[in-house]
Amino acid sequence: MTQEQKGYLQKFWTDIEKAGDELRNQPMPQLKEEDFFLFKETGNRLIYEGEYFGRRKYLTVFAILSEFGKKQADVEVLAKVMDEICTEKFWALPAHVNFEALDEKTIDLFAAETAQSLMEIVEILGDRLPENTVDRVVKEVTDRVILPFVTSTVPYSWWEQDRCNWAAVCAGSVGMAAIYLSHWYEKMQQPEDDRLPEGWKQSIIDRVCDALQCYLDGMEEDGACTEGLGYFAYGMSFYTGFAQLLYEETQGKVNLMKRPKCDKIALFQQKCYFGGGVSVSFSDGSSKEEFLPGLTAYLKACYPQVITPDYTLARSFDSDSCYRLLSNERNILWLMQYDTNQVEQEEHNQWTYDLLPSAQWMICKDPDGNGYAAKGGNNDENHNHNDIGHFLCVFEGEMLLADLGAGEYTRDYFAYGILCNRSLGHSVPIINGMEQCAGRSYAADVFEWNEKDKELTISFAQAYPEDCIQKITRKIITDEKSDQLTLCVTDAFERAKKTETVIENLVTMYEPVIEGNKIIIAGSRGYLEIEVSGIQDEISVVVMQHSDHNGKEQTVYLIQWQVWLDEQGGQCTMSIKFYKK
């Protein structure tokens, strides 16, 4: 094990021990019915979820302390926590239930995760837990998750055949819970619950494997997860969790990690990090995404070409606001189990151009890890943002031209009325005062990379309302010969009959300075200058507020100017140069 891994594990364990000391003598947060119904009444999710995940923190902390620390006092606290969770009316979150027909046995992400967590604890610590606690867990998991799933027709819910993280998390959790439940029956030599149909275990495994194939189908052929890097880690944690358990259960006969595309998916994470730990934040991603060391170690054991990000970017215990047992426990277990004795760090001694042609992403980095990312795609992707043709720029560990990533999830989040997921919150033009539209047909019709000239071409007029613009072509060129990072972004517009105005729109989290046709955006370690041609009037700055994924208000600056158009159209060039302070 490397020094970085040892240091990470030591701090990770210390943080969990500290959390245990803090929580041991504190009452668990209580779930309030009025907070549950807040989502229906106001759209607010954070209040109830804060209480809910506070309770899951107790479960994860004392489960890990009991497994690896082996103190009986922690097991006793854990048993009380498990009893408490078994009394919860809903394991599902209010955002995921049907308020018109409230079903306490709804299987959503977190009901499935809860079942998986409880049964995994029984699998590992059953002999040390009170018999009545184990019996209660078996009953609740069977009643709430196993029976509703196995007795349903396919699909149990939309997620069983969907192509997103839900398929991996829900199905993977149900599958693991089912295998653990079967182990409990075998160990206790008790007759199975007579409500379970004959062949229930294999039936669940077969359905889970089918659902996990749907999840893989949702990944692009190049391995990209268009939901965002955080959702890659989320979905793959439960995919790999079930895959490893099934591999052991079948004595190596079934290996889901050998399914087509898995090798490419495993390499997606390492492409998404710029220097300074900034990550590509397209869709509902984050510019400061932390990686899961346990998951990464497992993927590297399966695919040696996986490169581990710098351990300064490893997810700490409290960084997971949902306090998931599986990913946190695997950060310890898999790091120890799949120790490779070395961690390959990606060497930035030359320019890298990671083209993901199926997703239509380009990620370009200079030898110092600075650069840009741009995307095409369509406006009906998983966790979609209306962002065709959008690009971001990173320099000296700061995203100077921004992608806002995920905002605060509310009832109306996916209605495209929120800055971060409407096209106004992205560096794309506004045509006739109109933004891009949502839907699969609103897409880039050209996404081409010229390796020789280091030129990316995106054509995306089709992303806008019909007939408002004939053609938009964005070209982004990098200059490898320059002593400093230099980009040239050229937008060419071909008018339609109804084209009246074209407004360029750049997004940043840093207050810009405007000097004529020059834009200066300065971070703490570096700055960029953009010299603009093709302007009809002055450059202006619109100040807006954005609520990030944790509900924190942030100031966003939209830099806008009108493009000069003649009868045929117009062209705007942005010459971007980056400087260290």
Side-chain angles (χ1 to χ4, degrees):
M1 185 174 290
T2 67
Q3 287 302 117
E4 290 87 352
Q5 290 171 327
K6 289 178 181 177
Y8 172 81
L9 276 178
Q10 183 177 8
K11 185 179 186 308
F12 195 77
W13 177 251
T14 299
D15 288 346
I16 293 174
E17 284 188 314
K18 182 180 177 182
D21 291 339
E22 293 174 351
L23 300 179
R24 190 169 282 109
N25 298 312
Q26 294 179 11
M28 288 176 67
Q30 294 303 301
L31 298 179
K32 303 180 184 69
E33 186 172 323
E34 59 267 30
D35 294 340
F36 185 91
F37 283 92
L38 268 180
F39 178 76
K40 179 184 179 183
E41 295 163 0
T42 70
N44 181 280
R45 292 179 57 161
L46 293 182
I47 293 175
Y48 181 84
E49 290 181 11
E51 300 162 354
Y52 180 99
F53 293 125
R55 293 167 68 85
R56 294 307 181 269
K57 181 177 183 179
Y58 277 76
L59 184 68
T60 294
V61 165
F62 289 103
I64 291 176
L65 288 176
S66 298
E67 178 182 355
F68 297 102
K70 303 187 184 303
K71 293 180 182 178
Q72 189 58 30
D74 291 327
V75 178
E76 292 170 3
V77 177
L78 175 63
K80 293 177 182 178
V81 172
M82 295 170 75
D83 289 337
E84 271 279 314
I85 287 176
C86 284
T87 66
E88 292 174 355
K89 188 173 183 179
F90 287 91
W91 283 352
L93 293 184
H96 303 152
V97 301
N98 179 4
F99 280 92
E100 302 304 317
L102 281 176
D103 182 1
E104 296 174 10
K105 298 177 181 179
T106 298
I107 306 174
D108 74 335
L109 296 166
F110 299 102
E113 285 184 39
T114 299
Q116 182 274 333
S117 297
L118 292 173
M119 287 308 304
E120 183 162 294
I121 293 168
V122 168
E123 173 87 358
I124 297 169
L125 299 167
D127 292 340
R128 299 167 61 196
L129 290 165
E131 184 178 342
N132 62 324
T133 296
V134 173
D135 290 344
R136 179 71 185 276
V137 165
V138 168
K139 181 182 184 305
E140 293 297 330
V141 170
T142 301
D143 289 351
R144 295 174 186 245
V145 174
I146 300 299
L147 272 172
F149 183 79
V150 76
T151 59
S152 68
T153 56
V154 179
Y156 160 81
S157 179
W158 60 270
W159 53 255
E160 190 176 349
Q161 295 180 332
D162 201 63
R163 294 153 54 96
C164 73
N165 68 87
W166 278 68
V169 176
C170 294
S173 293
V174 172
M176 284 184 273
I179 291 174
Y180 292 142
L181 179 60
S182 72
H183 290 176
W184 182 81
Y185 281 122
E186 292 167 6
K187 180 179 179 180
M188 300 305 292
Q189 296 182 337
Q190 289 191 12
E192 295 179 350
D193 191 316
D194 58 13
R195 296 173 298 169
L196 291 168
E198 185 177 352
W200 64 273
K201 175 185 171 184
Q202 191 59 49
S203 174
I204 289 177
I205 288 174
D206 291 344
R207 286 175 64 171
V208 167
C209 288
D210 289 344
L212 292 180
Q213 185 58 52
C214 291
Y215 168 69
L216 293 182
D217 291 343
M219 298 289 206
E220 299 296 333
E221 289 302 315
D222 49 37
C225 174
T226 57
E227 296 179 276
L229 182 56
Y231 282 106
F232 156 85
Y234 187 26
M236 284 303 291
S237 290
F238 287 85
Y239 182 94
T240 55
F242 178 77
Q244 187 218 32
L245 183 59
L246 185 62
Y247 183 82
E248 294 174 351
E249 185 73 8
T250 62
Q251 298 180 328
K253 294 178 182 177
V254 180
N255 187 353
L256 297 183
M257 297 308 296
K258 294 299 184 183
R259 282 188 169 182
K261 203 160 58 176
C262 276
D263 56 339
K264 294 179 181 177
I265 294 170
L267 301 180
F268 172 68
Q269 173 178 264
Q270 64 206 50
K271 298 173 182 177
C272 292
Y273 282 103
F274 289 92
V278 178
S279 51
V280 176
S281 51
F282 292 153
S283 302
D284 278 347
S286 166
S287 63
K288 295 293 183 182
E289 197 64 63
E290 296 171 319
F291 78 96
L292 292 172
L295 170 64
T296 304
Y298 179 79
L299 292 175
K300 188 171 181 62
C302 296
Y303 306 104
Q305 61 269 43
V306 168
I307 296 174
T308 305
D310 191 286
Y311 260 78
T312 58
L313 310 176
R315 187 180 297 177
S316 64
F317 177 67
D318 282 308
S319 292
D320 176 12
S321 60
C322 298
Y323 294 101
R324 297 178 176 92
L325 176 60
L326 182 137
S327 53
N328 282 294
E329 193 267 0
R330 298 307 191 272
N331 272 347
I332 299 174
L333 183 67
W334 280 355
L335 259 188
M336 296 189 299
Q337 188 173 350
Y338 299 106
D339 173 28
T340 60
N341 294 318
Q342 62 177 359
V343 177
E344 296 180 33
Q345 300 295 343
E346 190 168 11
E347 295 184 6
H348 288 290
N349 53 15
Q350 60 184 359
W351 288 75
T352 59
Y353 299 92
D354 287 312
L355 176 66
L356 297 167
S358 301
Q360 296 191 344
W361 287 18
M362 165 55 76
I363 305 168
C364 162
K365 304 164 201 166
D366 72 7
D368 295 321
N370 304 313
Y372 79 89
K375 73 180 298 294
N378 68 77
N379 281 338
D380 189 34
E381 296 166 347
N382 288 327
H383 283 263
N384 181 67
H385 290 195
N386 291 340
D387 59 357
I388 310 305
H390 168 60
F391 71 104
L392 59 86
C393 291
V394 175
F395 188 69
E396 292 296 298
E398 297 173 299
M399 190 178 285
L400 299 181
L401 284 179
D403 185 288
L404 301 178
E408 178 185 351
Y409 284 177
T410 64
R411 180 182 55 201
D412 302 320
Y413 182 77
F414 296 101
Y416 302 104
I418 296 171
L419 182 63
C420 69
N421 59 23
R422 57 190 284 201
S423 68
L424 183 66
H426 298 84
S427 293
V428 295
I430 302 164
I431 310 298
N432 295 347
M434 294 184 289
E435 300 175 38
Q436 294 184 10
C437 302
R440 183 165 293 274
S441 63
Y442 297 97
D445 58 277
V446 173
F447 190 88
E448 294 178 347
W449 172 246
N450 183 317
E451 176 66 28
K452 179 182 177 182
D453 297 330
K454 302 298 185 278
E455 178 184 79
L456 178 68
T457 301
I458 313 173
S459 176
F460 57 104
Q462 193 174 307
Y464 291 84
E466 188 175 1
D467 297 331
C468 72
I469 189 81
Q470 185 67 31
K471 192 170 186 179
I472 304 174
T473 304
R474 170 165 282 177
K475 293 182 181 290
I476 305 176
I477 302 175
T478 55
D479 183 0
E480 290 188 1
K481 298 178 182 179
S482 175
D483 293 335
Q484 67 217 64
L485 179 60
T486 303
L487 304 177
C488 182
V489 181
T490 302
D491 289 347
F493 303 92
E494 184 178 325
R495 298 183 78 144
K497 290 183 180 180
K498 296 181 180 179
T499 305
E500 297 177 359
T501 60
V502 172
I503 304 292
E504 288 281 21
N505 181 62
L506 298 179
V507 181
T508 182
M509 305 289 284
Y510 299 89
E511 185 173 5
V513 175
I514 310 299
E515 297 177 354
N517 70 332
K518 183 184 290 186
I519 303 163
I520 302 169
I521 301 173
S524 61
R525 294 180 291 276
Y527 64 98
L528 63 76
E529 291 183 355
I530 307 175
E531 190 168 327
V532 183
S533 65
I535 300 178
Q536 180 166 314
D537 54 14
E538 295 181 348
I539 298 173
S540 63
V541 177
V542 178
V543 182
M544 299 192 73
Q545 294 299 307
H546 162 63
S547 184
D548 73 8
H549 194 52
N550 296 317
K552 181 181 178 182
E553 286 294 313
Q554 298 178 324
T555 301
V556 179
Y557 303 92
L558 309 182
I559 307 166
Q560 299 181 342
W561 64 91
Q562 186 167 338
V563 178
W564 188 86
L565 300 176
D566 59 21
E567 291 183 359
Q568 282 72 44
Q571 180 171 294
C572 177
T573 299
M574 295 167 259
S575 297
I576 309 175
K577 294 185 177 181
F578 299 79
Y579 303 88
K580 293 181 180 180
K581 282 191 173 179

